Amino acid sequence: QVQLVESGGGLVQAGGSRRLSCTASGSILNIGRMAWYRQAPGKERELVATITTPDYTFTADSVKGRFTISRDYARNVMYLQMNSLKPEDTAVYFCNAFLRPQGENSNRQYWGQGTQVTVSS
């Protein structure tokens, strides 16, 4: 069974750093775009960053210059390096991926369960 599992969340002081990981497991033929989203209390889920290939990435303006998305294609793991964290970065961070499970003919969208990041001031 295919699943996405995030790790690395926790409590960090403002100005600090944290690295999130997302591991895709199961019988997977192909992974296309992967992305990080976040959702703060009382707010809608928002896109943080995406990665399809090393040269094809997107980072939201709100985190540009502070967050870096990367991917280990051999291990099916995606990372989000978060530096210079601010209290407004506090949210549940979700992993998202379009991937093709073995036995299926097209990519499907999958979500992880989310990991909480809390930035204290």
Side-chain angles (χ1 to χ4, degrees), residues 50-72:
T50 70
I51 183 165
T52 303
T53 68
D55 295 327
Y56 191 57
T57 64
F58 165 83
T59 306
D61 287 344
S62 58
V63 302
K64 194 167 292 185
R66 300 187 297 121
F67 290 12
T68 302
I69 191 169
S70 62
R71 190 166 156 182
D72 183 333

Side-chain angles (χ1 to χ4, degrees), residues 39-44:
Q39 187 166 19
K43 294 188 176 181
E44 293 186 355

Side-chain angles (χ1 to χ4, degrees), residues 8 18 20 29 48 53 57 72 77 92 96 98 100 105 115-116:
R18 202 85 182 178
L20 305 182
L29 287 178
V48 176
T53 68
T57 64
D72 183 333
V77 180
V92 178
N96 171 272
F98 285 87
R100 182 181 304 183
N105 295 324
T115 185
Q116 175 73 45

Side-chain angles (χ1 to χ4, degrees), residues 58-117:
F58 165 83
T59 306
D61 287 344
S62 58
V63 302
K64 194 167 292 185
R66 300 187 297 121
F67 290 12
T68 302
I69 191 169
S70 62
R71 190 166 156 182
D72 183 333
Y73 294 85
R75 296 174 58 225
N76 288 343
V77 180
M78 175 179 64
Y79 303 98
L80 185 68
Q81 178 65 44
M82 306 184 294
N83 299 329
S84 302
L85 282 161
K86 305 175 182 179
E88 51 263 44
D89 294 320
T90 295
V92 178
Y93 284 73
F94 295 90
C95 173
N96 171 272
F98 285 87
L99 59 87
R100 182 181 304 183
Q102 203 161 32
E104 299 197 17
N105 295 324
S106 61
N107 285 8
R108 293 170 53 195
Q109 183 172 214
Y110 285 82
W111 290 92
Q113 81 288 350
T115 185
Q116 175 73 45
V117 174

Side-chain angles (χ1 to χ4, degrees), residues 6-60:
E6 303 99 334
S7 61
L11 177 64
V12 60
Q13 288 190 329
S17 298
R18 202 85 182 178
R19 189 176 82 155
L20 305 182
S21 300
C22 170
T23 301
S25 63
S27 299
I28 301 170
L29 287 178
N30 173 265
I31 302 178
R33 192 198 82 162
M34 299 187 78
W36 289 100
Y37 287 77
R38 68 184 182 185
Q39 187 166 19
K43 294 188 176 181
E44 293 186 355
R45 191 171 297 190
E46 64 173 353
L47 178 64
V48 176
T50 70
I51 183 165
T52 303
T53 68
D55 295 327
Y56 191 57
T57 64
F58 165 83
T59 306

